[in-house]
Every structure is written in C-alpha cells, then in structure tokens.
Amino acid sequence: MSLGSVLGIARSGMSAQQLIIDTAGHNIANVDTEGYSRQRVELSAEFMKQPMLGQMGNGVRVADVAQLRDSALDTAYRNEASGSASSQLRKDLLGGIESLLGEPSDTGLAAAMDAFWSSWSDLASQPASSAARSVVQQNGQHVAEMLNGFDRQLVGMRAQVATQLDATVTRINQLSDQIAGYNERIMGAEVGGTTAADLRDKRNLAIDELAKLGDTHVIEYPNGSVQVSLGTNAVVDGTTGRHARTIVSATGVVGIHLDPGNEPALPFGGTSQAMVDFMNRDLPDVRGQLDALANGLVTAVNAIHATGELYPANGAPVAAGNFFDPTHVTAGDISLSAAVAASAANIAAGAAAAAIPGPGNNDVALALAGLRSAAGQVTYVDATGQTQSGSFTSFYGDVASRLGARVSAAGTDADVHATLADQADTRRKSVSGVNLDEELTTLMRAQQAYAAAAKVISTASDMMKTLVDMI
C-alpha cells in the first residue's frame, strides 16, 4: 500500500467522523422539535484492494444517514390517537346536549312538566279559581317554550358541527396534498439510495395529524413514497392526493364523498366520523325523542281537555276545545292553542258529561293531573327499530339517563385510548427520540476517532518527508 493510500484512508475516516459529529449536533439541536426522529450515520468498509501481498482495506464509506423510526410503533400510536380523538370529540358533543337538557335540575324540563301536572292538581282543588287557571296557562306555556328552546339549540348545534366537519374535511385535503408533495420530494431526494430523514419527519408529522381526523393506514412503497388511507379510502397514493367533500342528502343525512366523481366514502373513523355519526344518529335521536314527548303531550292533554266545558259568567256552557295547538306537535313548534293563549278562562276544569256538571266540577283537571304517571303516553321508535315507551315522567327520565350513559361511555373510551396512545408514543420516542447522554457519548467517540485519523495523516506525512530526505 502506498503512502498516498494511507492518506486517502485517513481522510475518509476524518470525513466520516466529521459527518457523525455534524449529525449528533443536528440531533441535539432538534431535541425539542416536534416529530423529529434522531438520525444515525451508518458506515461501511470501503471496497477492498487486491495488491500483490493480499487484500487490504481502503478506508470507510458513509452508507447512509438513517432515520431511527419503527413503523410498527407509528401504526400503534396512530390507531390509538384516532380512537382517543374520536371518543373525546363524541364525549364533548354528547356532553353539549347533556348540558343543554341540564338534568337533574330544579329548572329543567322535568321540573317544568312536574309543575305543569301539579298545577292541574291545584285546579282540581279549586275548579272555579281564575288564579289556578292562570298558573296552568303559565306552566303549559313554559313547558312548550322549553321544548321550543331545546329544539332551536339542537338545530344550532347541528349547524356548528356541520361547519366544524367542513373545516375538518378541508384540513384532510390540505394534509393529503402535503403528504403527496412530500412523497414527490422524498422520491427525488432518495434516488441515490440515501434517506431523506428530515423530509420523512415532516411527512410523518402530517400523517400523525391526519390520524386524529380519521383511522389512518400507511403503506410504504420501495421508492420511498407512501399510500395513505382513511378507513378503507385511499386519500394519498404516491404523488397523487384525492380530495374529500361533505354532502347532505335530501333527507338530511350527512356523508363524505371522494373526488373525482361522486364516490361515497366508507367510514373514515377519527373525529370526522364522530361528527358524521353525531349529526346522523345521536342528534336526530334526541330530537326525535323530544318530538315524541311533545306529540304525546299535545295528543293526551287535548284528548282530555276537549271533553271539558267552560262556564262563562253570562251565557250557556260551551265546549272547551284544545289546550295545545293540535297542528303543532313537535318540540320545535309545540304551543298553546290560540284560545288558551288568549285567556286562561278558556281552560276547562270540569267535564261536559260529568255527573254533577257546573263550575265546581273538576273531572278534567283530575284526569289531566293523573297524566303525570300514566303509562304508555309517549312512544318513540329509533332508527334501529327499537321502541321506547313510557309515561311522560319516565320517558323523559330515560332520555336523560341514556344520554348520560353515552357521555360516560365515550369518556371511558377517550380515557382508555388516550392512555394507550401515550404509552405507544412513549415507546416510539424511546426509539426515535433524541437522548442527550447518548449523543454526547457519540460526540466524544467521534472526536477521538477524528483525532486518531488526523494522527494517521500526520504520521504518513512524516513518513513521506523521511522518504523525500532519503532521495
């Protein structure tokens, strides 16, 4: 081996150790950078020479600056992050409805209905009292207005979630475009066989964010690009990204479609799916139950009140008519009948067919007071075909308790997924995170190796000088 070869070997060693020092410094500088994966210089022996005296090495070669990352740990984290984000959002959305109903409470709908039935009991005790009639009128109006208010706020909540879903779908499209762009840059940067570690970190960070918006599945191709799917829908394939958009059918069902064309997307999972499910299932379910309650109130109260009789101060008795407006039978529009709203004197206490008719009769008021706990007054069939039925008190109590159970279940799911996501993130950071002690050790080792390579050059230089002096 010539002295020139010795210098070449030493020079390769110095260059390699310099790169190791640079890489360690890069790792240390990015110790707190979100999504950064530590890098490691991979070295290999240079190709061998075959002189007359046998095979000898030719120094060191930098094979790659590798990114330390475990795709299996990435997958585990993203699965749990998606579940955690979805469950937490579902808990928040359902919790919004629970807060709206505000049960149990002294000022909620249950208390308002209880006061309504109690006012009929009071009227039965004083069937000729105009003050008792006014209380019935006020309490009936209060129940109707509470149901109206609930429905308005639920409609407003749906509009807010729809806006949030649109923003989420827009963000999904932005991330899909970003990932497709990173794919193109990574493919170009890795043509020579090296790893574009920093670009891969940026791409993984975008995929991590996307995982919270939907159930993300990643397939890496040999050329360095990836295919990314939400649920079973490919939104990125190589350098191509597909855009999603929200649609609303004629019946109000919300969906997500993929372009080009009008392909219905299968469930995305993540927060996007939580919002779709809330608007298509949870919110309509609660509104349907409140509508059933309002319809039951209108039907049952009117059926009894219409049998009553009014006794004007001057004139013959007249039929009482309806208490609630029979054309308004949903939570959104339930209201008192025009006659009752105009005057409490149009509220009947006694029945026309009573054994002892007259202003002192209380048959209607007693019957209406008995509706408080009468079974089978409200019936609701949900989207799955299951029937819920009960008295006014028990039915509304079931609405509140079922909602509370859903909120609790979503909260439990969110806690479980969050814990698992934290554990998965800790495991992957143990592989990809920067360890300062390890980097300092690497720096010291590289520094010593660099000094040793420099000593080889100094020694070879002295040998060359000796050889020149001999000549």
Side-chain angles (χ1 to χ4, degrees):
M1 177 180 290
S2 67
L3 290 176
S5 297
V6 173
L7 289 173
I9 291 172
R11 184 171 59 251
S12 71
M14 291 182 68
S15 297
Q17 298 307 320
Q18 179 64 57
L19 182 57
I20 291 174
I21 291 172
D22 291 345
T23 302
H26 186 53
N27 288 339
I28 292 171
N30 287 280
V31 63
D32 292 323
T33 300
E34 183 182 4
Y36 180 80
S37 301
R38 66 190 175 106
Q39 300 172 16
R40 181 178 63 195
V41 178
E42 294 185 347
L43 305 176
S44 64
E46 189 54 276
F47 297 111
M48 308 291 274
K49 287 188 174 183
Q50 294 184 342
M52 295 177 58
L53 299 178
Q55 294 185 344
M56 300 187 66
N58 194 35
V60 66
R61 176 172 62 88
V62 176
D64 192 13
V65 180
Q67 179 190 54
L68 298 182
R69 199 170 185 111
D70 190 326
S71 60
L73 295 179
D74 283 335
T75 299
Y77 167 77
R78 289 164 185 162
N79 288 342
E80 300 304 336
S82 175
S84 176
S86 174
S87 299
Q88 185 60 53
L89 180 58
R90 177 172 170 76
K91 174 189 174 184
D92 293 342
L93 294 175
L94 292 174
I97 300 179
E98 186 179 41
S99 298
L100 169 63
L101 299 184
E103 299 293 350
S105 169
D106 292 337
T107 58
L109 180 60
M113 288 194 298
D114 190 59
F116 178 59
W117 305 126
S118 294
S119 63
W120 283 109
S121 294
D122 294 340
L123 181 58
S125 299
Q126 307 173 68
S129 170
S130 58
R133 280 178 169 77
S134 294
V135 174
V136 171
Q137 180 195 46
Q138 293 168 8
N139 287 339
Q141 180 70 23
H142 184 48
V143 168
E145 288 177 347
M146 287 198 73
L147 286 168
N148 298 161
F150 285 168
D151 193 73
R152 282 195 304 271
Q153 292 183 68
L154 290 174
V155 170
M157 187 178 296
R158 187 186 190 283
Q160 292 174 356
V161 176
T163 300
Q164 186 178 354
L165 178 62
D166 287 339
T168 298
V169 170
T170 298
R171 185 56 181 161
I172 287 173
N173 294 337
Q174 292 172 345
L175 291 170
S176 297
D177 290 341
Q178 287 181 20
I179 295 167
Y182 285 132
N183 277 345
E184 185 173 10
R185 295 174 64 185
I186 289 169
M187 288 166 59
E190 295 184 352
V191 168
T194 58
T195 301
D198 291 330
L199 286 174
R200 284 176 172 264
D201 280 340
K202 291 182 181 297
R203 184 177 68 186
N204 280 318
L205 198 59
I207 295 174
D208 284 350
E209 182 181 349
L210 190 62
K212 297 177 182 179
L213 308 182
D215 293 337
T216 302
H217 306 280
V218 180
I219 299 175
E220 184 167 355
Y221 294 134
N223 62 7
S225 68
V226 295
Q227 180 193 79
V228 182
S229 299
L230 289 180
T232 58
N233 310 276
V235 294
V236 179
D237 194 2
T239 59
T240 303
R242 296 185 68 186
H243 280 189
R245 58 188 173 87
T246 55
I247 64 164
V248 181
S249 71
T251 58
V253 177
V254 179
I256 300 177
H257 281 204
L258 291 174
D259 292 327
N262 195 32
E263 177 186 346
L266 295 175
F268 270 12
T271 57
S272 59
Q273 192 61 46
M275 286 182 275
V276 169
D277 289 344
F278 179 77
M279 287 190 286
N280 288 344
R281 184 182 63 201
D282 298 310
L283 197 60
D285 191 43
V286 175
R287 288 190 71 195
Q289 290 169 331
L290 293 178
D291 283 345
L293 181 63
N295 183 66
L297 275 171
V298 172
T299 302
V301 172
N302 282 354
I304 296 175
H305 192 266
T307 67
E309 196 169 52
L310 304 176
Y311 304 97
N314 298 307
V318 296
N322 293 307
F323 183 86
F324 290 110
D325 187 332
T327 64
H328 295 165
V329 294
T330 67
D333 64 7
I334 183 175
S335 62
L336 298 180
S337 67
V340 171
S343 173
N346 292 318
I347 296 175
I356 306 176
N361 184 268
N362 64 358
D363 288 358
V364 167
L366 284 174
L368 285 169
L371 285 178
R372 181 200 307 261
S373 57
Q377 297 300 313
V378 187
T379 300
Y380 171 69
V381 181
D382 64 21
T384 65
Q386 293 184 336
T387 300
Q388 302 168 21
S389 180
S391 67
F392 292 111
T393 300
S394 66
F395 181 85
Y396 183 66
D398 287 345
V399 171
S401 62
R402 286 193 186 97
L403 183 59
R406 291 186 204 175
V407 174
S408 178
T412 299
D413 287 345
D415 291 342
V416 170
H417 284 296
T419 299
L420 293 176
D422 288 341
Q423 293 174 349
D425 195 36
T426 299
R427 288 196 300 272
R428 72 171 184 167
K429 284 181 178 177
S430 70
V431 174
S432 61
V434 176
N435 185 309
L436 292 178
D437 290 338
E438 184 177 339
E439 297 304 323
L440 291 175
T441 301
T442 299
L443 278 174
M444 289 187 290
R445 186 171 62 248
Q447 182 183 18
Q448 292 175 348
Y450 185 92
K455 183 65 175 176
V456 172
I457 290 179
S458 175
T459 301
S461 178
D462 290 342
M463 292 174 64
M464 291 183 68
K465 181 180 180 181
T466 299
L467 183 58
V468 170
D469 291 342
M470 290 176 61
I471 297 174

